[in-house]
Amino acid sequence: MSSTARASRPVRPARSPMAPPRSFLWTRRVFLTLLCGFVLLPVYVMVSSSLKPLQDVSGAFRWVPSGLTIRPYIDIWSTVPLARYFINSLVVAGSATLCSVVIAVFAAYAVSRYSFRGKRVFTLTVLSTQMFPGILFLLPLFLLYVNIGNATGVALFGSRGGLILTYLTFSLPFSIWMLIGYFDSVPRDLDEAALVDGCGPLGALVRVVVPAAVPGIVAVAVYAFMTAWGEVLFASVMTNDETRTLAVGLQGYSTLNDVYWNQIMAASLVVSVPVVAGFLLLQRYLVTGLTAGAVK
């Protein structure tokens, strides 16, 4: 072989001594491919089943549908009052998220910036509430709501307000604990500069600390919303036909005579849109907030 032919060959760049071995790279690719397939397979089953007629879904499953139809996406709104369930879930999850974020911001700011008697006990108590399973509070909350309604006439059981208070018992402790860590990462010099400029403690919180802590607040809001949006246990006990949420209302597609599997799949995809869209839009804030709250 001539020297000209050797010179025309492309020269491969030398591998860095710190580069991982090729076997590791191929193992990682295979593992990630299998993981993606494991995650996307249920999604494909849901999408394909939601586009099939009921007789095709009720029979043996076929990976390639013989015929596609959008009729299930139209029928889901008439088979059960899905629109009412959607509004109930939106009101309950949105209200629980708003209350959780507002209360957690003030509580976490007080713990992060001020020293007071019982501060350590308070933080440990807030954290310890996460150790108990939710079902442990089901019967006490049920009895409490019923007794309050009998004594005062305030209908908490079977109402949206009662369900919002119930969800606050789960989302609020975690929200406070997480924002404490995030507020600790915000320099105190910002508060002092705001106080020098004439702001009070509340003004420093609203004008300086909250804008600097937006990623952490967004992470807390996403957590609170997702917790309330998909909760089933308390929603199945604390609601009635008028206040039923989506997580419980999907059971209406199963009757004594038949199960509308195609409509269940279609409704499940529809009710997942708000959570998926919100997660994609706020992903960068969510990752930053969770990371900062975890390391501080």
Side-chain angles (χ1 to χ4, degrees):
M1 185 178 296
S2 64
S3 59
T4 305
R6 294 194 190 97
S8 62
R9 286 185 176 181
V11 179
R12 293 183 178 180
R15 287 176 55 84
S16 172
M18 301 299 295
R22 295 185 184 276
S23 58
F24 173 79
L25 296 177
W26 280 105
T27 302
R28 184 175 61 180
R29 292 169 184 171
V30 172
F31 177 77
L32 292 178
T33 302
L34 294 176
L35 182 62
C36 290
F38 179 78
V39 173
L40 295 177
L41 183 61
V43 179
Y44 172 77
V45 173
M46 290 180 63
V47 174
S48 61
S49 300
S50 67
L51 296 173
K52 295 178 182 179
L54 181 59
Q55 58 271 17
D56 292 350
V57 183
S58 301
F61 179 76
R62 300 180 60 180
W63 291 100
V64 180
S66 57
L68 300 178
T69 177
I70 62 171
R71 191 66 194 177
Y73 288 90
I74 301 175
D75 294 338
I76 59 176
W77 304 100
S78 56
T79 303
V80 300
L82 189 64
R84 185 174 67 201
Y85 299 158
F86 193 93
I87 294 175
N88 289 336
S89 292
L90 193 61
V91 171
V92 171
S95 300
T97 300
L98 180 61
C99 295
S100 180
V101 169
V102 171
I103 298 174
V105 165
F106 286 101
Y109 182 75
V111 174
S112 175
R113 291 298 192 265
Y114 298 100
S115 297
F116 53 89
R117 182 177 299 178
K119 175 180 177 179
R120 183 174 178 81
V121 175
F122 173 77
T123 54
L124 292 177
T125 302
V126 168
L127 183 61
S128 63
T129 57
Q130 302 299 301
M131 298 188 302
F132 301 100
I135 195 173
L136 188 66
F137 301 99
L138 180 59
L139 184 58
L141 285 176
F142 172 80
L143 296 177
L144 184 63
Y145 288 174
V146 172
N147 291 330
I148 290 177
N150 294 334
T152 64
V154 178
L156 293 177
F157 177 74
S159 65
R160 295 174 178 173
L163 198 59
I164 293 171
L165 290 176
T166 302
Y167 290 155
L168 280 177
T169 61
F170 303 111
S171 61
L172 190 56
F174 177 82
S175 302
I176 294 175
W177 182 262
M178 183 174 176
L179 284 182
I180 289 174
Y182 201 92
F183 284 162
D184 287 341
S185 66
V186 178
R188 296 176 181 267
D189 295 341
L190 297 178
D191 304 48
E192 297 174 359
L195 295 176
V196 171
D197 290 340
C199 292
L202 183 60
L205 170 63
V206 175
R207 297 183 181 181
V208 178
V209 179
V210 169
V214 167
I217 295 174
V218 170
V220 167
V222 171
Y223 167 80
F225 186 86
M226 293 181 65
T227 300
W229 186 264
E231 201 279 326
V232 177
L233 177 62
F234 287 87
S236 62
V237 176
M238 299 293 187
T239 59
N240 51 32
D241 293 338
E242 295 297 325
T243 59
R244 190 163 296 161
T245 59
L246 282 171
V248 182
L250 293 179
Q251 300 177 2
Y253 294 105
S254 176
T255 63
L256 295 176
N257 300 323
D258 206 348
V259 179
Y260 300 99
W261 289 110
N262 55 346
Q263 295 188 34
I264 292 178
M265 298 299 176
S268 300
L269 291 172
V270 169
V271 302
S272 301
V273 170
V275 176
V276 174
F279 181 83
L280 293 177
L281 291 174
L282 303 174
Q283 182 180 9
R284 63 189 183 95
Y285 295 105
L286 181 63
V287 173
T288 304
L290 289 176
T291 304
V295 300
K296 293 294 180 182

